Amino acid sequence: MKLPTYTVLRGKELEDFLKAGIEIKKDEVISHLTEYDGHDLFPKWLMFIRCIEEFINIRYVISADEWMAFEKCSIDIRENKRDLMGILKIVQCRFGNDVLERIKSIIIMLLGLRLTYQKMRLPGMECKTIADAVNFIQSRRLYYVAYLTLIRLYAKGSKKAQFIELLCHFQSQVDFNIMPITTAFHSIIGNRCIDGYEARANNWGVEFCMHYNQLENFFLEPLTMSEIDIIEYEHKNISTTNIPKNLYSYAELLYTVKQAETLFKGYGIDESLVLQEIRQMVLDLDGQFIDGYSICMTEDIFKDFCMKYPHLRLFSEAQDYYEAINERPAFFQNESNYYSTVLLIIRYVENTIYGLLRKNRRYRIKAGFLFEKRVKALLEKYGYECTNVKRIHKQEFDVLCRQGDCIYNFQCKNNYLDINNLTIANIDKVCGQNKRLVKYYQNALDKENFRTKWVIEKFGVEKVENYVVARFPIVMNHKRLIAFNKLEEWLKGEKKE
């Protein structure tokens, strides 16, 4: 793509440039994929998804000490053969030769990709250790899964790729086309919502004056109130003794539904037709999984299967690039068959349940209280002395804490916003939502500034710092409005000062 002759882009010129770039990069992804034989590529890509899921989740089924040793290993076996082979031997003994070979395949793929990027002097592939590799894969997992739909839509050619070379064939499309499309959408929002937003052209493309990131630890999307929040701060849980210590199992799928029913009881989903159908679907899948992991149904069988659950949208109906990137289905079609895995169905169930919960007012209120506890716990980790003061002059405060001679006042906001589900068609709507939340948070901050005198009176201090912390990051540039996924970084900066 040819850059404009000027180096600084702003306003309409920047938005026009970004929109044109989005379309060009989208067309490049599609054009690249049309060269490949979808019949050959789909089963290989489905196996690749299994490999990366095992690679990402291995940390949860080995001991903490084993993982600490594994994550430090170089992905280049020549550098630490003894340590890496020792851990892989543990994997082999515990999970068998097939899992071992899949884990080794991913390591070989990533090493080959790193060497290819280095040879071509391409940026973005700095994987040296297993931990680096896991983070690299996890941060791109949603795009890899989306390729299962993109293959159905566009892979109509004759080119074939060897399984071990898949990343060398497709990773550059993810890194230099698909991910930049997401960045470009975020930049359009920044351009519309932030005064003075600009971008500068350089040899590789465009550098933006700020970067937006919605993901939290382990590259997970934020949730209004997750099961982890309830387990950690409400001390509720259900027994996991019946779940085998495997990388995945049907028992884990059953547990996912049971835990959601237990932890979210009373939030309006108990008698939901959607949840009833999820329960029945999970029961009907018993015995259907091949090797405890994958499932395949012919078109006729799958249609009959879907008719039993009219309130569930189980399979990918995407008809274009944007729909393929943004959807999270349970099943993917390839020719006349439908495919899924235990983990894809687990994530579908979780996403569907959280979608139901967001509509419940009691859930949103409870989520606000637990979010305050999560913010408080993070502040205490960094040495802030959190008080139990929740009211001053009959006015509510979220988190008041002390450090030195200063009181820090944090207002915790848990307003849902999904900025990752973006298309050219809905960009105006998302920008409007972002602007409303920015204004709402600024008004909340103004309110706290007005109430500062009460805090000074209550604690007998001279200095009060007011902040708003947002669980769902919005596109903004305000030092007093902090995204929760940036709070720890902010706290580390405060400690240095």
Side-chain angles (χ1 to χ4, degrees):
M1 179 180 179
K2 186 177 180 180
L3 290 168
T5 55
Y6 43 79
T7 58
V8 178
L9 306 164
R10 301 186 185 95
K12 187 177 185 302
E13 288 179 323
L14 175 56
E15 180 160 335
D16 290 345
F17 175 76
L18 290 170
K19 286 182 175 179
I22 287 170
E23 290 304 307
I24 289 172
K25 288 187 175 296
K26 173 179 69 71
D27 291 344
E28 287 179 358
V29 173
I30 294 171
S31 176
H32 175 260
L33 196 49
T34 56
E35 299 175 11
Y36 289 84
D37 177 353
H39 178 77
D40 173 77
L41 181 58
F42 185 90
K44 292 177 181 176
W45 200 264
L46 196 61
M47 177 57 71
F48 170 66
I49 296 297
R50 180 172 189 170
C51 291
I52 66 171
E53 295 285 17
E54 291 175 342
F55 188 63
I56 290 169
N57 288 293
I58 195 73
R59 65 184 300 167
Y60 303 112
V61 291
I62 61 178
S63 72
D65 289 342
E66 289 167 345
W67 170 247
M68 286 180 63
F70 190 34
E71 69 174 344
K72 295 175 183 177
C73 290
S74 169
I75 64 171
D76 190 340
I77 194 170
R78 298 168 297 181
E79 296 178 9
N80 51 249
K81 181 176 181 179
R82 181 178 177 182
D83 293 339
L84 184 57
M85 293 306 294
I87 297 296
L88 291 178
K89 186 67 176 178
I90 293 173
V91 172
Q92 181 183 30
C93 293
R94 200 164 300 170
F95 306 110
N97 288 329
D98 290 343
V99 173
L100 172 67
E101 292 304 316
R102 289 191 288 269
I103 296 290
K104 286 169 62 177
S105 293
I106 286 296
I107 294 173
I108 292 169
M109 285 182 182
L110 289 167
L111 178 59
L113 182 67
R114 190 182 81 181
L115 295 174
T116 299
Y117 272 35
Q118 288 174 348
K119 184 178 180 180
M120 299 178 67
R121 297 183 179 180
L122 297 174
M125 179 55 178
E126 304 299 330
C127 291
K128 296 180 180 180
T129 66
I130 294 297
D132 295 336
V134 168
N135 289 337
F136 181 87
I137 292 292
Q138 177 80 334
S139 65
R140 293 156 172 78
R141 193 192 70 82
L142 290 176
Y143 298 125
Y144 295 142
V145 173
Y147 253 99
L148 291 172
T149 299
L150 292 173
I151 290 168
R152 169 177 65 83
L153 292 174
Y154 303 117
K156 310 296 183 183
S158 58
K159 188 174 180 178
K160 297 182 180 181
Q162 295 295 317
F163 174 75
I164 203 69
E165 297 176 350
L166 284 179
L167 282 183
C168 290
H169 281 262
F170 290 94
Q171 188 62 50
S172 61
Q173 293 297 316
V174 174
D175 288 345
F176 304 120
N177 285 325
I178 297 178
M179 293 178 71
I181 288 173
T182 301
T183 300
F185 275 121
H186 294 161
S187 299
I188 290 174
I189 299 173
N191 189 46
R192 293 191 188 182
C193 297
I194 298 175
D195 292 337
Y197 190 90
E198 65 179 28
R200 295 180 181 275
N202 61 26
N203 291 336
W204 286 105
V206 181
E207 290 183 353
F208 300 99
C209 64
M210 66 164 288
H211 293 277
Y212 172 84
N213 177 34
Q214 188 183 29
L215 303 181
E216 295 185 353
N217 290 340
F218 305 114
F219 303 97
L220 299 177
E221 295 176 319
L223 295 168
T224 306
M225 179 173 68
S226 70
E227 294 173 354
I228 294 174
D229 292 328
I230 297 175
I231 292 168
E232 288 188 3
Y233 300 109
E234 292 286 287
H235 308 295
K236 296 180 180 178
N237 205 349
I238 63 175
S239 173
T240 61
T241 54
N242 293 325
I243 300 180
K245 296 298 183 181
N246 297 330
L247 282 164
Y248 35 73
S249 66
Y250 174 72
E252 186 179 353
L253 176 56
L254 286 173
Y255 175 81
T256 298
V257 178
K258 180 63 176 176
Q259 177 159 279
E261 290 176 327
T262 302
L263 298 181
F264 297 125
K265 186 175 179 63
Y267 293 116
I269 66 170
D270 310 62
E271 302 304 323
S272 163
L273 291 176
V274 171
L275 186 58
Q276 290 177 28
E277 291 183 6
I278 284 176
R279 288 193 201 106
Q280 190 57 53
M281 177 194 70
V282 170
L283 292 175
D284 291 344
L285 287 173
D286 188 11
Q288 299 283 338
F289 292 96
I290 304 167
D291 193 22
Y293 174 78
S294 61
I295 187 168
C296 173
M297 297 186 190
T298 64
E299 187 169 12
D300 290 341
I301 292 175
F302 184 72
K303 284 182 178 179
D304 291 340
F305 181 76
C306 290
M307 287 180 65
K308 296 191 288 184
Y309 322 110
H311 295 89
L312 301 182
R313 182 174 173 265
L314 291 174
F315 64 99
S316 168
E317 299 178 277
Q319 296 301 315
D320 63 27
Y321 170 88
Y322 295 117
E323 290 178 351
I325 290 293
N326 290 319
E327 68 177 4
R328 307 286 187 270
F331 286 82
F332 293 86
Q333 182 183 5
N334 180 43
E335 298 178 340
S336 60
N337 292 326
Y338 289 80
Y339 299 84
S340 189
T341 71
V342 166
L343 294 178
L344 288 174
I345 293 173
I346 285 174
R347 291 192 176 96
Y348 170 80
V349 168
E350 291 175 338
N351 288 335
T352 303
I353 289 174
Y354 282 121
L356 292 173
L357 288 166
R358 284 195 298 270
K359 301 174 184 178
N360 183 270
R361 186 170 179 270
R362 288 189 64 230
Y363 167 80
R364 296 195 301 270
I365 292 173
K366 186 66 173 181
F369 290 125
L370 294 194
F371 181 46
E372 291 173 18
K373 291 184 178 182
R374 183 166 287 280
V375 170
K376 184 177 179 180
L378 191 55
L379 291 168
E380 290 175 338
K381 174 183 174 181
Y382 283 88
Y384 289 76
E385 179 189 346
C386 292
T387 74
N388 292 320
V389 176
K390 300 296 291 183
R391 284 179 175 270
I392 303 175
H393 290 295
K394 298 182 180 180
Q395 296 290 311
E396 291 188 358
F397 289 78
D398 290 346
V399 178
L400 289 164
C401 58
R402 184 194 299 268
Q403 189 174 68
D405 60 354
C406 180
I407 294 294
Y408 289 81
N409 173 22
F410 292 91
Q411 275 291 307
C412 304
K413 301 298 182 183
N414 206 358
N415 304 82
Y416 177 75
L417 179 66
D418 183 4
I419 286 187
N420 278 347
N421 189 359
L422 288 168
T423 67
I424 293 293
N426 75 355
I427 191 70
D428 292 341
K429 178 182 177 181
V430 176
C431 284
Q433 292 171 336
N434 190 84
K435 285 181 178 179
R436 284 192 292 274
L437 280 179
V438 170
K439 184 176 181 180
Y440 171 56
Y441 293 162
Q442 288 174 332
N443 289 340
L445 190 58
D446 291 340
K447 177 184 174 182
E448 297 313 307
N449 291 334
F450 174 78
R451 302 195 304 177
T452 294
K453 57 183 180 290
W454 299 343
V455 178
I456 292 173
E457 176 187 320
K458 175 70 177 179
F459 291 96
V461 297
E462 296 182 358
K463 186 178 180 182
V464 175
E465 299 280 352
N466 299 311
Y467 297 91
V468 170
V469 180
R471 181 66 182 265
F472 290 86
I474 59 176
V475 179
M476 59 186 175
N477 187 20
H478 194 302
K479 292 182 179 180
R480 301 274 174 173
L481 305 181
I482 306 171
F484 178 69
N485 65 356
K486 295 291 186 181
L487 180 58
E488 186 161 18
E489 179 183 325
W490 180 87
L491 290 170
K492 289 178 181 177
E494 286 288 291
K495 294 292 284 185
K496 289 180 181 178
E497 294 177 7

